[in-house]
Amino acid sequence: MAKATEDVDLEQLREQVERLARLIRQQGFHEGLNPAQWEALRYVSRANRFSNSPGALAQYLGSTKGTVSQTILSLEKKGLIGKVVSPADARVVLLALTPKGQELLARDPLLSLATEIGALSGKTARRFARGVDQILRGQISRQKQIDFGGCKSCRHWRDRSGEDALSRCMYFNVQMSKEDLGKLCQQHLQR
């Protein structure tokens, strides 16, 4: 592990990260939803066609299938998400945001955090992004969690954009649209 510079108080930094996490969690009690419901909405909006299932959502949230089932049921009752049968396999249930769910996500309380991060200077923002990514990858690895990520950083992705064919996922052996590329996938393997 790399040594921190002498001018960084690691205990203070840990406390600041913890406080920031608490403040973010507090913002999750908004518009009649709880933090788990907001997290589920965000995930469903960002998951690709192979990862928008209740099981993948449970893995992403690090939660039990029973807990996620209750979250999904609550979001369905509120008219924010719906279940659809997979066109590829009738045994598979997929999750999709409803128009009401999409409208609510436009008022996501965490948009203020994105605004604050966006206000950082270019160099600071890049360093922050690298640092958060490094810490997140370390925590995912230590906790033996599934990575989840987008195509462009995945070992399974082949860029065929210069050819007539679109980009290709070698894991699922399918062409990927531009829209697919930025979505979360449970089969993501970091390059």
Side-chain angles (χ1 to χ4, degrees), residues 128-146:
F128 179 74
R130 280 195 304 269
V132 168
D133 186 61
Q134 190 175 354
I135 292 166
L136 179 60
R137 300 233 168 271
Q139 289 295 313
I140 287 170
S141 176
R142 260 187 292 296
Q143 295 180 29
K144 298 182 178 15
Q145 296 288 318
I146 292 175

Side-chain angles (χ1 to χ4, degrees), residues 54-126:
L57 174 60
Q59 289 178 322
Y60 184 79
L61 296 179
S63 191
T64 65
K65 289 181 182 179
T67 299
V68 167
S69 178
Q70 291 303 309
T71 299
I72 292 168
L73 184 60
S74 176
L75 292 171
E76 277 185 297
K77 285 180 181 177
K78 293 175 190 250
L80 302 173
I81 64 169
K83 292 179 183 173
V84 294
V85 176
S86 168
D89 186 344
R91 298 169 295 173
V92 177
V93 172
L94 303 175
L95 304 172
L97 286 181
T98 63
K100 185 177 175 182
Q102 291 171 348
E103 181 182 307
L104 185 62
L105 265 180
R107 299 188 309 271
D108 185 341
L110 287 191
L111 292 174
S112 65
L113 180 64
T115 300
E116 289 166 2
I117 293 169
L120 297 172
S121 71
K123 189 175 187 178
T124 301
R126 285 188 299 275

